[in-house]
Amino acid sequence: MKKVSSTEEIREFINSDMAIVYFTGLDCGACEAIKYKVEDIIKEYPKIEACEISGEKYPNIAAEFGIFSLPILILYVDKKETIRTGRNVSMLDLEKDIDRYYNMIFN
């Protein structure tokens, strides 16, 4: 995932057909574990854009996106927020949802 530090950079990612914006904490074990699992999942989907931003380092940006706890993953499909999930994410369900949307858009 590409690390970003501004709302403008996030909006660039959101403007793609499919994008993941991942809000993470600085010293958060759950954040790191989920990040690595998501990165493994999206390796199979080369057209998905993904970025990561520290919600602790940039609290104003996190608040702008309605993020008040970490970690939070947001999947945008066709510039619209489609999935928002946090610490208790089911990786199997997330992968199924990503696969379904990816196939609808790109196949």
Side-chain angles (χ1 to χ4, degrees), residues 2-3 11 19-20 26 28 30 32 35-36 39 47 49-50 63 65-66 93 97 100-101 103:
K2 180 181 178 193
K3 292 192 180 210
R11 299 233 184 264
I20 290 176
L26 295 173
C28 172
E32 287 299 311
K35 175 186 168 185
Y36 293 130
E39 286 176 332
K47 295 180 182 176
E49 299 289 335
F65 284 87
D93 289 343
D97 289 337
R100 182 169 47 100
Y101 288 116
N103 286 320

Side-chain angles (χ1 to χ4, degrees), residues 53-70:
I53 186 164
S54 172
E56 289 179 345
K57 193 173 180 182
Y58 302 103
N60 292 342
I61 296 171
E64 185 176 332
F65 284 87
I67 307 299
F68 301 105
S69 67
L70 299 169

Side-chain angles (χ1 to χ4, degrees), residues 74-91:
I74 306 172
L75 174 69
Y76 289 89
V77 177
D78 196 24
K79 302 172 189 68
K80 294 181 182 84
E81 182 178 321
T82 306
I83 296 172
R84 179 182 286 238
T85 189
R87 182 174 294 263
N88 298 320
V89 60
S90 165
M91 288 298 155

Side-chain angles (χ1 to χ4, degrees), residues 1 18-22 30-31 33-45 48 50 71-77 82-103:
M1 282 187 212
M18 253 181 113
I20 290 176
V21 178
Y22 187 58
C31 299
I34 292 169
K35 175 186 168 185
Y36 293 130
K37 290 177 183 180
V38 170
E39 286 176 332
D40 282 343
I41 291 171
I42 62 175
K43 284 179 186 174
E44 303 297 318
Y45 306 96
I48 294 178
I72 296 291
L73 180 141
I74 306 172
L75 174 69
Y76 289 89
V77 177
T82 306
I83 296 172
R84 179 182 286 238
T85 189
R87 182 174 294 263
N88 298 320
V89 60
S90 165
M91 288 298 155
L92 291 174
D93 289 343
L94 180 64
E95 186 171 8
K96 287 177 190 176
D97 289 337
I98 288 172
D99 185 67
R100 182 169 47 100
Y101 288 116
Y102 192 88
N103 286 320

